[in-house]
Amino acid sequence: MSKKINLFAHLKSDFASGLVVFLVALPLCLGIAMASGAPLFSGIIAGIVGGIVVGYLSQSHISVSGPAAGLTAIVLTAITDFGAFDIFLTAVFIAGLIQLGLGFLKAGSISNYFPTNVIEGMLAGIGVIIILKQLPHAFGYDADYEGDQSFVQNNGDNTFSSLFEIIDHLQLGAVIVTIVSLIILISWDRVAFFKKFKLVPGALIAVIAGILLNEFFIASGSSLAISKSHLVSLPVPTSIEDFKSIIVLPNFTSITNSQVWITGVTIAIVASIETLLCIEAADRMDAQKRFTNTNVELKAQGVGNMISALLGGLPMTSVVVRTSANNNAGAKSKMSTIIHGVLLLLSVLLVPVLLNKIPLATLATVLILVGYKLAKPATIVHFWKKGKYQFVPFAATLIAVVVTDLLKGVLLGMIISIIFILRGNLKRAYSFKKEEYVDGDVIHIDLAQEVSFLNKAAIKSTLNAIPENSNVIINAHDTVYIAHDILDLIKEFKEIRAKEENIKVKLKGFKEAYDLENTSDSANHVTLEHYYDVASRKLVKKNTAKNAFLEE
């Protein structure tokens, strides 16, 4: 029986964090809708449903759902191919239905197999992307849409080349707003005076300061005034008909179209993987280290996507950027996620004109600090100190997320982690010990519990390196399974090469099923006794020489 959660237990802190996430989510919802070739309100609708519906149904305490940058390419291609947004919404509804089914099939358990270093690498990579992508906005260069995480941008630039374009599009007014916002955000949690107002989020104060500064620039006729193209651009409905046009219903007559189903399946798979990755990351961020039932999360996402489709919204996932902002703002429960959804809804209905006065530079500053907390240098140092087997997958994931995308970056990190695991298993297939004597070496090869075909190369190399006139003891007492490839290798070594190079081989502990005959103790009694005798004589000789030296 699940424990009941009081959503109103931490209302003060949750409202403050919900407000911060709302400020972060608003331009992201609009930017992702614009990049997807969808109506702008479809992004807001997805954000509202992700906040209120998914926020309520989910068991995650800090995760925030909404339209995701990782789906923009799929959405844009689908809308272009179908030629109608309502047909695309049918695919989104199908995707939600599939996700709901995946939840009942307990597919969420695959998140348990994501290595920690890969998840941390993903978070750090997203942090770097946020910083790199928001720097142009902070300086007033807004050619790229808010929320873009792709390396190659729509305007032909890439993440790095766009940084060099800043100097040619510098807006001094935006720079001043950014500096003021940065000072407020950094000092809000550090200066003792401001700590008296800790229930008021610093992001809100930064936004208010940004609006007032720009309004002053405009009123004074200053050249520093930030133009409309560099402000939040929320559509403003002016009549009942405008509100009615916001809601677009899916065209279910296209449900027999195979391409609609293919798109639905694609969205379901990509959205589910991104959600599971984000949930795993959210649980790691959570200061109270609470764990989320990922199967319930898939069901919640499925219901959310079906409702979003019915209202004319974009598909959604759990999103790292919003989740990180929520956690950094001090969220205690999922009430903050719900509040952010409610605020998105109220913003559309009540204050769109006021929101359109917010400079994008202010919001970029908020996001840059979110990015820094995800990609802190201390995290990189932490994994560096853990050694190459932890650091390499972490670093590879980080770099790949920045230069490709989230899923490809995580996939690369997973592949490298698996290679390291296999390499470790190859090394642990057996233990090797060599004892040197006057008339030949005695080599002990003790096989591990499981010796698979993957260990063939390592064992073959070891057997090939054994010198002539050696004595080899291969011990299989501890084995549970040995692959036929390995058994054939040992058999060939004993019966062919050992005879050619005068290598004496003793097999111990091999089961009858292995079809390899153990060497009887009587057959080797003289040999072992001989070596122990040689060792004794060497020791006696050494001590005699030592005594003679001392007597002199």
Side-chain angles (χ1 to χ4, degrees):
M1 188 175 179
S2 61
K3 182 180 177 182
K4 289 187 177 180
I5 299 171
N6 182 1
L7 291 176
F8 299 95
H10 307 284
L11 189 58
K12 289 183 178 179
S13 58
D14 284 341
F15 183 83
S17 54
L19 182 57
V20 172
V21 180
F22 157 70
L23 293 172
V24 169
L26 180 63
L28 295 182
C29 289
L30 294 170
I32 290 168
M34 185 183 299
S36 302
L40 289 182
F41 269 116
S42 65
I44 299 293
I45 291 169
I48 293 169
V49 175
I52 299 173
V53 178
V54 178
Y56 179 76
L57 295 176
S58 171
Q59 290 185 355
S60 176
H61 297 274
I62 63 171
S63 171
V64 183
S65 296
L71 295 174
T72 52
I74 298 171
V75 175
L76 179 61
T77 302
I79 293 174
T80 304
D81 290 344
F82 296 145
F85 185 62
D86 57 351
I87 296 177
F88 167 73
L89 292 176
T90 306
V92 178
F93 186 87
I94 291 170
L97 202 59
I98 293 170
Q99 284 185 296
L100 187 61
L102 290 173
F104 281 109
L105 291 172
K106 301 189 184 301
S109 59
I110 65 171
S111 65
N112 296 323
Y113 300 98
F114 298 141
T116 299
N117 52 357
V118 172
I119 295 296
E120 292 286 354
M122 177 194 77
L123 289 175
I126 291 173
V128 171
I129 288 174
I130 293 171
I131 294 170
L132 296 176
K133 291 291 189 182
Q134 293 302 321
L135 279 173
H137 295 294
F139 287 93
Y141 179 42
D142 301 307
D144 192 26
Y145 68 89
E146 278 286 1
D148 183 22
Q149 292 183 2
S150 58
F151 183 72
V152 179
Q153 300 171 179
N154 292 339
N155 61 357
D157 289 334
N158 61 49
T159 302
F160 297 117
S161 66
S162 63
L163 297 177
F164 296 101
E165 298 287 330
I166 293 174
I167 195 69
D168 297 325
H169 301 85
L170 196 68
Q171 296 284 329
L172 190 55
V175 175
I176 293 172
V177 168
T178 295
I179 293 171
V180 171
S181 300
L182 192 61
I183 292 171
I184 292 171
L185 290 168
I186 292 175
S187 61
W188 196 255
D189 294 324
R190 298 187 180 185
V191 178
F193 175 76
F194 292 139
K195 288 182 179 180
K196 298 176 183 178
F197 311 99
K198 61 181 180 180
L199 292 179
V200 179
L204 177 62
I205 303 302
V207 165
I208 292 172
I211 293 173
L212 293 177
L213 263 175
N214 192 45
E215 288 300 306
F216 172 75
F217 293 153
I218 294 171
S220 61
S222 171
S223 59
L224 298 175
I226 301 172
S227 63
K228 188 177 179 180
S229 62
H230 302 295
L231 305 176
V232 169
S233 181
L234 183 66
V236 182
T238 56
S239 65
I240 299 297
E241 291 301 317
D242 287 344
F243 277 109
K244 286 182 179 179
S245 64
I246 293 173
I247 307 299
V248 180
L249 298 177
N251 181 359
F252 285 112
T253 59
S254 62
I255 202 158
T256 56
N257 186 337
S258 61
Q259 283 301 119
V260 170
W261 279 90
I262 291 171
T263 302
V265 171
T266 304
I267 292 172
I269 293 172
V270 174
S272 296
I273 293 173
E274 288 204 13
T275 290
L276 293 177
L277 287 167
C278 181
I279 290 298
E280 194 70 19
D283 286 349
R284 289 196 58 77
M285 292 180 203
D286 188 5
Q288 298 181 46
K289 299 303 175 187
R290 295 165 290 189
F291 293 99
T292 302
N293 186 326
T294 49
N295 296 313
V296 173
E297 184 65 29
L298 286 180
K299 294 176 188 176
Q301 294 288 335
V303 172
N305 274 320
M306 286 191 288
I307 293 176
S308 181
L310 292 173
L311 296 175
L314 290 175
M316 71 188 74
T317 71
S318 180
V319 186
V320 171
V321 178
R322 276 161 254 192
T323 299
S324 179
N326 192 32
N327 179 64
N328 293 336
K332 302 294 183 185
S333 76
K334 60 184 183 179
M335 188 62 180
S336 62
T337 302
I338 297 171
I339 288 170
H340 121 273
V342 172
L343 290 174
L344 281 174
L345 176 61
L346 293 177
S347 70
V348 173
L349 299 176
L350 304 177
V351 288
V353 175
L354 177 61
L355 294 175
N356 285 343
K357 294 181 181 293
I358 301 175
L360 291 176
T362 297
L363 299 179
T365 310
V366 174
L367 285 167
I368 286 171
L369 289 183
V370 169
Y372 174 78
K373 289 178 180 179
L374 284 173
K376 287 188 292 188
T379 304
I380 299 172
V381 173
H382 169 73
F383 279 98
W384 174 262
K385 289 180 178 178
K386 282 195 168 188
K388 64 181 179 181
Y389 290 105
Q390 288 293 316
F391 180 75
V392 172
F394 165 82
T397 304
L398 189 162
I399 295 169
V401 165
V402 173
V403 300
T404 58
D405 58 47
L406 185 149
L407 292 183
K408 290 175 184 174
V410 169
L411 179 61
L412 178 63
M414 292 285 289
I415 290 172
I416 294 174
S417 294
I418 291 169
I419 290 172
F420 280 171
I421 290 170
L422 292 175
R423 186 178 178 185
N425 286 337
L426 294 180
K427 290 183 176 181
R428 289 190 290 270
Y430 61 93
S431 63
F432 181 91
K433 184 173 68 173
K434 183 178 180 181
E435 297 174 349
E436 295 183 357
Y437 296 101
V438 174
D439 44 358
D441 300 336
V442 175
I443 296 169
H444 295 267
I445 299 175
D446 297 328
L447 300 178
Q449 281 191 330
E450 292 190 8
V451 188
S452 72
F453 72 94
L454 295 172
N455 308 120
K456 182 177 178 179
I459 293 176
K460 187 175 182 179
S461 176
T462 298
L463 293 178
N464 286 339
I466 292 174
E468 296 180 5
N469 305 316
S470 298
N471 286 264
V472 181
I473 301 174
I474 302 177
N475 189 349
H477 273 302
D478 295 331
T479 59
V480 176
Y481 166 78
I482 303 179
H484 287 290
D485 292 26
I486 307 299
L487 294 172
D488 290 342
L489 193 65
I490 294 171
K491 189 174 182 179
E492 290 170 4
F493 172 76
K494 181 185 178 184
E495 295 179 357
I496 300 174
R497 182 165 173 260
K499 291 178 180 179
E500 292 175 353
E501 300 184 9
N502 192 32
I503 299 173
K504 295 181 178 63
V505 180
K506 178 180 179 181
L507 304 183
K508 294 171 60 179
F510 283 82
K511 299 179 177 63
E512 290 184 13
Y514 295 157
D515 195 27
L516 269 176
E517 186 177 347
N518 293 313
T519 309
S520 63
D521 290 335
S522 59
N524 287 271
H525 179 70
V526 176
T527 302
L528 291 176
E529 189 178 68
H530 168 72
Y531 281 105
Y532 288 132
D533 182 54
V534 169
S536 299
R537 281 188 312 209
K538 283 174 69 179
L539 183 61
V540 169
K541 185 177 178 181
K542 182 178 181 181
N543 287 336
T544 302
K546 180 180 179 182
N547 291 335
F549 175 77
L550 291 173
E551 287 175 2
E552 289 178 4

